[in-house]
Amino acid sequence: MTRLPRLMTKDRIGDAVLIPVFSILQAVAMGLGAFATRDAFAALHAGHPPDLRVLIQLLGAGLAVALFGWCIKQRAEALGQSYANDLRITIYRHIAGMDLTAVEQRRVGALSLRFVGDLSAARNWFGRGLPLAISAMFVLPSAGAVLWLLNPHLALAAFLPLAIMAGLTIAIAVGLEARHRNLRSKRAAISISMIERIAVAPMLDLLGRTDKEIETLTENGQRLRHNSLSRAGLRNGLSGMIEAGAAIAGMCVLITAGMIGAMTGSVAAALAMIAILVAPLRELALVWDRYCAWRVAGEKAQNLLRQDSANREVSGHGRAVAISIDGAVTLSAAAATRITLCPHQMPKDANILRIMAGLDRNSDFKVRFQAEGHAVTPRCAYIGNQPAILQGSLRRALTLGLHPRPKDRRIHRVLADFDLQHLADGPKGLDRRVAEAGRDLSAPEQVRLELARAALARAEVVLIEGSRAVLEPQTERYLDIMQQGTTCTIVLQPMAGLHRLDSGCVMGHASPTF
């Protein structure tokens, strides 16, 4: 099982150390500022202006608090972004190693949400929640100690109401996670639905579904609004209770000061320290809110990472590879030959080509590849029912996964062999843009482009879903070109009812130049 990324690793170690260091320095600056405030008010009470030392100390403390606060936020943002990026990579690598069938069975919107909502929750917790909690661990005791040193009686007067309100806040905060779960469920339902419907919105409109979809959106939006208000109300209520505690603490300090005859400077400094104490306490309500969001998102991400996953090996050196399969179906293909599987004899609950390519793992089948009598892991080219073409240049579409990338001269030769030279004839040549999944290409061009890519890769095994291959009327001719230019072994699996490609047909064509 893949685990969530660790916090204390890589560049995050430095940030995790610097955040508490800056927090300690900020707390020290706050303490110095409080004592400078006391001295300044004492001077004013005595009827003369504060001396230069006090003013410099007050100004320096204020600037230091601002500077260290900026440093904390910068390192916190770096920490959050670093963790979110590691989580993004972990999730993608895990999904890439899963069985293709398992990925297809999951909703596209649900998988997309892992890269949006869950990453936002991770970034907010590790970048804006956890650092605030670390800072509060140093600021609260430091501010409390300074307040006690200023005047123990005033400190007790402030601590009691703040402690009572903090205790009530903790008791109420327990229900915030449940509200987060409800809110996330509603928000995820809307997001997943929209991710999947936006691409087909015009088709749904043609079916007369637009009004119904808008009605559903409105209903879901109202439920989302209700849950969002419930969570926000509780979170804001937690902050409000701390602020109310601060007001009560200030009143208690003033009453106590009048009773014991405390110095004006000490009272002013004590009130300033109450404000400093309340700031991290108020932020802890936000910290808990972000932690609850991360707990829910982290559980969802971990559930995905529990799925079986193992990234596939890509190798190959242009060898002639023989294939044999044992299990529910037994078949073999000699090296550098072409065979067509009979769809009526293939199991309905397993895709043989995917198993051969390593896209699906099935213990009922044992696939062996051999070259010159030795077991090998060949470079496979799988041309499935969906084009594996990413948006980008034509050069990129033709050389995905190839290291080093072939020279442009060789790419042009292969394009000519597969009658695709017209794609690069424009002013941009191989820099011409190709849409995602090759949507700006015809179906035959998509097939030929993937065949050309397999030729450029010198794939040792080429696996083709016949349902796409029959869209290209001259597929057999292009397969002949591939086998004349390489030693690849080709396996086709047409769907039942489709035209069967004759693996024995050989048509004349100019010698390929792979």
Side-chain angles (χ1 to χ4, degrees):
M1 179 186 73
T2 306
R3 297 185 180 277
L4 295 173
R6 293 183 300 167
L7 175 63
M8 298 293 286
T9 184
K10 299 181 181 178
D11 58 329
R12 295 193 290 274
I13 295 177
D15 291 330
V17 172
L18 286 174
I19 289 172
V21 169
F22 289 138
S23 299
I24 293 172
L25 294 174
Q26 188 182 49
V28 171
M30 288 178 178
L32 294 174
F35 284 109
T37 301
R38 182 193 64 181
D39 295 341
F41 271 87
L44 293 173
H45 183 71
H48 57 80
D51 59 30
L52 183 60
R53 178 191 64 80
V54 173
L55 293 176
I56 292 176
Q57 182 179 340
L58 193 60
L59 176 62
L63 293 177
V65 168
L67 174 62
F68 292 132
W70 180 84
C71 291
I72 291 171
K73 290 178 181 178
Q74 285 294 105
R75 300 332 309 160
E77 181 67 18
L79 180 69
Q81 291 290 347
S82 174
Y83 189 89
N85 189 55
D86 261 13
L87 180 58
R88 184 184 297 114
I89 292 171
T90 298
I91 292 175
Y92 180 82
R93 186 183 297 277
H94 188 85
I95 293 175
M98 291 172 59
D99 282 1
L100 183 58
T101 299
V103 174
E104 290 175 344
Q105 289 173 349
R106 301 182 72 94
R107 298 183 66 179
V108 173
L111 289 176
S112 301
L113 198 63
R114 300 286 85 80
F115 293 93
V116 183
D118 291 353
L119 289 181
S120 295
R123 186 176 61 253
N124 286 336
W125 165 239
F126 290 103
R128 302 173 187 174
L130 183 59
L132 286 177
I134 294 173
S135 179
M137 289 171 57
F138 296 98
V139 172
L140 285 175
S142 301
V146 171
L147 184 54
W148 182 268
L149 292 173
L150 286 170
N151 190 306
H153 298 288
L154 299 182
L156 288 174
F159 289 159
L160 184 60
L162 285 175
I164 293 173
M165 298 306 289
L168 291 174
T169 301
I170 293 172
I172 296 174
V174 175
L176 190 58
E177 183 175 340
R179 285 173 169 79
H180 261 288
R181 291 188 183 279
N182 292 334
L183 176 62
R184 189 192 185 284
S185 175
K186 299 295 186 297
R187 187 168 53 204
I190 292 178
S191 299
I192 292 171
S193 177
M194 285 300 96
I195 289 171
E196 295 174 349
R197 281 169 170 74
I198 285 174
V200 294
M203 299 298 294
L204 293 175
D205 186 62
L206 182 62
L207 295 172
R209 283 279 306 182
T210 298
D211 290 341
K212 178 62 178 176
E213 294 298 333
I214 292 176
E215 180 183 343
T216 302
L217 264 180
T218 303
E219 293 175 357
N220 291 337
Q222 290 296 329
R223 286 193 288 268
L224 179 63
R225 178 174 178 268
H226 173 75
N227 282 273
S228 181
L229 286 173
S230 175
R231 189 212 67 170
L234 180 54
R235 183 193 64 192
N236 295 333
L238 298 178
S239 299
M241 291 180 67
I242 296 298
E243 292 171 354
I248 298 172
M251 181 188 68
C252 292
V253 165
L254 292 174
I255 293 174
T256 304
M259 292 174 62
I260 66 174
M263 294 175 58
T264 304
S266 296
V267 175
L271 292 176
M273 291 311 299
I274 289 176
I276 294 174
L277 273 170
V278 167
L281 284 174
R282 185 172 54 242
E283 288 175 343
L284 285 177
L286 183 60
V287 167
W288 180 248
D289 180 69
R290 288 171 175 164
Y291 175 68
C292 290
W294 165 240
R295 270 182 57 87
V296 177
E299 288 177 5
K300 296 294 183 180
Q302 190 64 74
N303 287 340
L304 174 64
L305 296 178
R306 288 192 182 98
Q307 301 292 317
D308 291 336
S309 174
N311 293 112
R312 299 158 186 86
E313 296 182 19
V314 177
S315 60
H317 304 87
R319 301 160 297 190
V321 176
I323 309 171
S324 62
I325 298 180
D326 295 323
V329 172
T330 301
L331 59 90
S332 61
T337 60
R338 188 194 322 170
I339 66 169
T340 301
L341 306 180
C342 178
H344 302 290
Q345 297 177 350
M346 294 297 105
K348 296 181 179 180
D349 58 346
N351 187 310
I352 294 295
L353 291 193
R354 288 187 182 183
I355 295 171
M356 294 170 69
L359 294 173
D360 283 351
R361 301 170 184 86
N362 192 315
S363 59
D364 294 336
F365 297 89
K366 184 175 182 180
V367 182
R368 289 188 296 272
F369 299 99
Q370 287 190 320
E372 299 176 354
H374 301 286
V376 296
T377 302
R379 176 181 287 275
C380 289
Y382 175 77
I383 302 177
N385 290 324
Q386 298 297 326
I389 303 173
L390 298 181
Q391 179 176 303
S393 67
L394 177 61
R395 181 186 293 103
R396 183 192 187 200
L398 286 162
T399 59
L400 277 177
L402 303 189
H403 303 286
R405 176 176 285 176
K407 301 293 184 181
D408 286 359
R409 182 180 300 177
R410 180 170 172 237
I411 295 176
H412 279 292
R413 290 201 302 264
V414 172
L415 284 175
D417 286 332
F418 288 89
D419 298 328
L420 291 172
Q421 188 60 44
H422 62 281
L423 297 180
D425 284 343
K428 293 186 177 180
L430 293 176
D431 292 323
R432 166 200 165 147
R433 303 299 291 177
V434 176
E436 188 77 16
R439 288 191 298 268
D440 54 344
L441 304 177
S442 68
E445 286 174 337
Q446 292 172 1
V447 175
R448 277 182 276 155
L449 189 149
E450 292 190 82
L451 288 172
R453 182 198 299 160
L456 284 168
R458 298 189 186 279
E460 297 164 318
V461 175
V462 180
L463 310 168
I464 304 174
E465 293 276 6
S467 54
R468 284 188 65 208
V470 297
L471 297 175
E472 168 54 71
Q474 301 190 63
T475 295
E476 294 181 25
R477 181 165 69 90
Y478 295 123
L479 296 183
D480 289 336
I481 293 173
M482 288 196 68
Q483 290 192 303
Q484 292 173 32
T486 68
T487 57
C488 66
T489 302
I490 300 176
V491 182
L492 300 103
Q493 183 178 4
M495 293 177 60
L498 290 178
H499 161 67
R500 176 172 176 170
L501 297 169
D502 184 1
S503 61
C505 178
V506 178
M507 302 180 66
H509 189 73
S511 298
T513 51
F514 299 160

